[in-house]
Amino acid sequence: MSALRRFFTKDHYKYAFLLGWLLLGLLQACFTQLMDDEAYYWVYSRHLDWGYFDHPPMIALLIKLGYALFHNELGVRLLMVVINVLTLWITWELLPQRHNRLLYLVLGAMGAMQIGGMLAVPDVPLIFFATVYFWVYRRFLEQQSWTNTLLLGISMALMFYSKYHGILLVFFTVVSTPSLLRVFKFYTACALTTLLMLPHLYWQYAHGFPSLQYHLVERNAASYNISYTLEYILGQLLLFGPLAGWLLLYYAFICPIQSSFERTLKVCLAGVLVFFLFSTYKGRVEANWTVMVFTPAVILAHQAIIRRRGTWKLLQYLTLATLVVVLAARIYMVWDFAPGIEIRPEIHHNREWAAALQSRAGNRPVVFLNSYQLPSKYMFYSNNGLSYSVNSRYARRNQYNYWDTETQLWGKPVMIAFQRGMEMPVTDSVHTAKGTWEYYMQPQYYSYSLVRLVPAIKSLQVRPGEHMTFILQLRNGYGQPVQEDTVHEAVLGYAFVRNKEEGLPPVRTDVGLFRALQRHLIRMQVNMPEQPGIYQLKFCVFAGVLPPTHNSDAVTVEVKE
């Protein structure tokens, strides 16, 4: 017992702190229901592949390994909790000067690391492998051995397999230390990274580089809005806090630099924050996109306080207040003690919601409209229920467009579930813990989301009401003959969308889908809007009772007098 006590109490209770962090994470992971995106990534893990529409495959692999041990929320999040604790341990090892009690204050002031560290989202492995990358990079700076070169290449690949944003850390590493461009072994490490990434790059190539198309093109806003920038700045202060974020970032930026490694940390921190600040000119930037610089922020803030011999009082007060906020958040994530206030309602009442829908669906698969989260939640919390998402012209594509679930449903009875306001026939409605849902019992289901209509042009300028003929190439993305709906003929059409949510009524044509697939190349006449403005023109498939689906990339149309 004395040896065990010494182990947990040495270094100012370092290992006791890590054990407490681990146990809190495990308890939170076990008793908190899944967030929407976590359920989506859990479905990833049921279809292991070298890539996915939204992200690389690391998150799917980690969930797969954990879920093999525990078939519940804890299994989904198990390895996230473990690597979150390992992140803290490696961060400890990276500190040039260590003051453990100060580090406890810094980590205690970062609510996102405490609560978000157990979530099954790509940010958690990104933070971990970014920390591993910095640890290996420091070794590489100290000794450019072949072992460290190998580890550097592997760490970069693991970071990229977690989330694409990791490439920014490598870029800003080179910016901070341009002499790397004269180091042969650095090129060798990059070559190894490229070699390890080849399976993922081939997946992207085979699927038409959907991740690049989505992240670099489809997510861009039509015009700049100052709210994008203001929301980003506020989001960063909350992300690194929520109360002490401004103070920790201030300390990190004033930290005196004493080594080339610390210069790299500061350049990466500043570079990533500024890069995404400028990205707000292209559209909304999510606050969590900068999480890979958590470790540089912690190290630099910690070192700045030590070296500048500043007072801890303000940080102590802010950390104490943060821990109170975090405690309230932890309790709320497990127990909905404020049902009238909808703060992240996705983490509550999912079992009751899924059970209510399944009581009406029976053995039928449930199809949702314009949501990749809802079918994922339904499959996780229902009793082995099958579900699918079909996307209208207003919704973006997602990984459901690449799985074979849709073909499994062709010709079979399904229940299409939707909330009020959709232009759909209604069989009945059901009251759930998440409101009233309407549904339609379709005796034979058909949709054709993987039929791609590829226009010959990407943008154009037209006059109001002008008639134009578009040339469309049809591609069958199913890898098999497309099954025809003999009751309701599927036809092609188009729709104009503004601001991603507003649009003109869709237009059906008399061009049958299957006649068009046989011809591979067709012409379609499109009537332009009467009102001037910028529109997104999308070509669609009209199948049965479903709204027109998302079957093409958007063509930017500027209507001018």
Side-chain angles (χ1 to χ4, degrees):
M1 286 298 293
S2 60
L4 185 64
R5 186 182 301 110
R6 285 196 301 271
F7 175 78
F8 283 111
T9 58
K10 71 178 181 178
D11 293 334
H12 298 289
Y13 297 90
K14 170 184 174 180
Y15 294 105
F17 179 86
L18 291 175
L19 178 62
W21 193 287
L22 174 66
L23 293 177
L24 276 174
L26 291 173
L27 289 172
Q28 195 77 56
C30 183
F31 294 105
T32 302
Q33 295 185 20
L34 296 186
M35 289 189 171
D36 289 344
D37 284 353
E38 291 182 284
Y40 182 44
Y41 302 137
W42 169 75
V43 183
Y44 273 21
S45 72
R46 302 178 71 186
H47 303 268
L48 278 185
D49 208 339
W50 283 105
Y52 300 94
F53 179 87
D54 311 80
H55 295 291
M58 182 61 71
I59 184 64
L61 177 61
L62 294 176
I63 292 175
K64 183 80 171 182
L65 295 174
Y67 197 74
L69 299 176
F70 304 102
H71 294 295
N72 52 26
E73 291 91 346
L74 177 60
V76 173
R77 296 165 170 152
L78 178 63
L79 290 187
M80 311 305 147
V81 177
V82 172
I83 64 176
N84 181 244
V85 174
L86 290 176
T87 299
L88 301 187
W89 182 76
I90 298 173
T91 301
W92 238 296
E93 297 301 311
L94 287 173
L95 294 173
Q97 298 171 267
R98 298 173 189 170
H99 194 302
N100 287 355
R101 290 176 181 172
L102 174 59
L103 187 60
Y104 302 155
L105 287 176
V106 173
L107 294 175
M110 302 179 75
M113 279 292 287
Q114 298 176 60
I115 297 176
M118 65 90 187
L119 298 178
V121 293
D123 300 308
V124 176
L126 174 63
I127 296 172
F128 171 66
F129 288 114
T131 307
V132 171
Y133 163 76
F134 285 122
W135 177 69
V136 173
Y137 176 68
R138 190 180 70 172
R139 288 169 51 102
F140 184 80
L141 287 178
E142 295 170 351
Q143 182 182 11
Q144 293 175 8
S145 66
W146 282 111
T147 299
N148 289 337
T149 301
L150 178 67
L151 291 175
L152 185 63
I154 294 173
S155 67
M156 289 191 291
L158 292 173
M159 188 165 56
F160 298 164
Y161 268 118
S162 300
K163 206 170 182 180
Y164 301 116
H165 297 161
I167 197 170
L168 291 175
L169 295 183
V170 178
F171 173 77
F172 287 115
T173 297
V174 175
V175 170
S176 71
T177 314
S179 59
L180 287 172
L181 298 176
R182 299 193 299 270
V183 178
F184 172 74
K185 288 182 179 178
F186 178 73
Y187 287 100
T188 304
C190 292
L192 175 60
T193 300
T194 304
L195 182 65
L196 294 173
M197 292 298 297
L198 283 179
H200 177 69
L201 294 174
Y202 178 77
W203 184 94
Q204 290 286 347
Y205 167 76
H207 293 82
F209 296 97
S211 301
L212 291 178
Q213 172 70 19
Y214 171 62
H215 289 293
L216 299 182
V217 179
E218 294 181 15
R219 296 192 76 141
N220 293 342
S223 60
Y224 172 68
N225 190 318
I226 193 173
S227 65
Y228 300 154
T229 303
L230 297 177
E231 288 174 5
Y232 169 75
I233 295 173
L234 177 61
Q236 295 312 299
L237 297 178
L238 295 174
L239 181 71
F240 287 91
L243 303 179
W246 63 273
L247 182 61
L248 294 179
L249 290 174
Y250 167 74
Y251 280 135
F253 281 116
I254 67 169
C255 177
I257 299 303
Q258 296 184 353
S259 68
S260 59
F261 175 68
E262 290 183 6
R263 182 174 63 249
T264 296
L265 293 180
K266 182 171 283 192
V267 171
C268 285
L269 174 62
V272 167
L273 292 177
V274 172
F275 174 85
F276 284 114
L277 176 65
F278 282 111
S279 297
T280 61
Y281 288 98
K282 297 182 64 179
R284 181 168 280 107
V285 172
E286 296 180 16
N288 61 292
W289 289 357
T290 63
V291 293
M292 66 271 207
V293 292
F294 266 11
T295 297
V298 169
I299 294 174
L300 293 172
H302 177 271
Q303 296 305 112
I305 298 173
I306 292 178
R307 292 169 187 172
R308 299 178 72 91
R309 301 183 183 277
T311 178
W312 299 8
K313 283 189 176 180
L314 180 58
L315 180 60
Q316 287 174 330
Y317 294 142
L318 292 175
T319 298
L320 181 60
T322 298
L323 292 176
V324 173
V325 173
V326 168
L327 177 61
R330 287 186 184 278
I331 296 173
Y332 176 73
M333 292 173 72
V334 176
W335 170 40
D336 185 10
F337 59 77
I341 302 175
E342 291 196 351
I343 302 175
R344 288 289 186 181
E346 62 196 90
I347 58 176
H348 297 127
H349 313 299
N350 292 295
R351 290 186 180 86
E352 299 88 339
W353 168 79
L357 290 180
Q358 193 167 31
S359 68
R360 300 299 178 93
N363 294 325
R364 298 180 185 87
V366 177
V367 175
F368 293 91
L369 304 177
N370 300 337
S371 173
Y372 57 86
Q373 299 103 330
L374 291 173
S376 306
K377 276 286 185 70
Y378 179 81
M379 283 191 283
F380 188 86
Y381 285 106
S382 64
N383 184 18
N384 296 317
L386 179 63
S387 191
Y388 177 68
S389 169
V390 62
N391 303 315
S392 77
R393 63 193 186 279
Y394 292 121
R396 72 170 179 88
R397 291 182 296 157
N398 54 65
Q399 188 58 37
Y400 281 95
N401 292 105
Y402 295 90
W403 289 320
D404 61 356
T405 311
E406 186 178 38
T407 60
Q408 297 176 31
L409 303 184
W410 282 345
K412 296 179 180 177
V414 303
M415 184 178 94
I416 304 175
F418 46 91
Q419 291 187 300
R420 290 175 177 173
M422 298 294 296
E423 297 179 359
M424 289 281 297
V426 177
T427 299
D428 202 348
S429 63
V430 55
H431 296 287
T432 75
K434 293 179 178 286
T436 299
W437 285 72
E438 297 179 333
Y439 60 87
Y440 172 69
M441 295 296 189
Q442 186 168 14
Q444 291 183 316
Y445 177 82
Y446 289 96
S447 64
Y448 303 99
S449 298
L450 283 189
V451 172
R452 301 297 295 159
L453 309 175
V454 184
I457 58 176
K458 299 295 183 183
S459 62
L460 73 160
Q461 188 178 101
V462 298
R463 295 186 302 274
E466 185 176 352
H467 301 281
M468 289 200 64
T469 300
F470 284 78
I471 298 176
L472 301 175
Q473 180 187 16
L474 275 83
R475 297 176 183 172
N476 175 7
Y478 292 102
Q480 65 182 57
V482 179
Q483 188 172 328
E484 184 174 1
D485 183 355
T486 57
V487 178
H488 304 284
E489 182 187 15
V491 299
L492 305 183
Y494 63 89
F496 287 95
V497 178
R498 297 184 71 175
N499 301 323
K500 297 186 179 181
E501 295 180 356
E502 302 174 0
L504 301 178
V507 178
R508 300 171 64 106
T509 70
D510 58 359
V511 180
L513 169 62
F514 291 90
R515 296 196 308 273
L517 282 171
Q518 293 172 358
R519 294 164 57 187
H520 301 296
L521 204 66
I522 65 168
R523 296 175 181 269
M524 182 182 296
Q525 181 170 303
V526 176
N527 299 329
M528 296 298 161
E530 295 289 345
Q531 296 297 322
I534 297 178
Y535 299 81
Q536 301 294 314
L537 169 62
K538 296 182 180 180
F539 296 96
C540 315
V541 175
F542 291 75
V545 300
L546 294 172
T549 52
H550 185 157
N551 294 89
S552 79
D553 295 333
V555 177
T556 302
V557 177
E558 183 178 4
V559 180
K560 296 185 70 175
E561 294 285 359

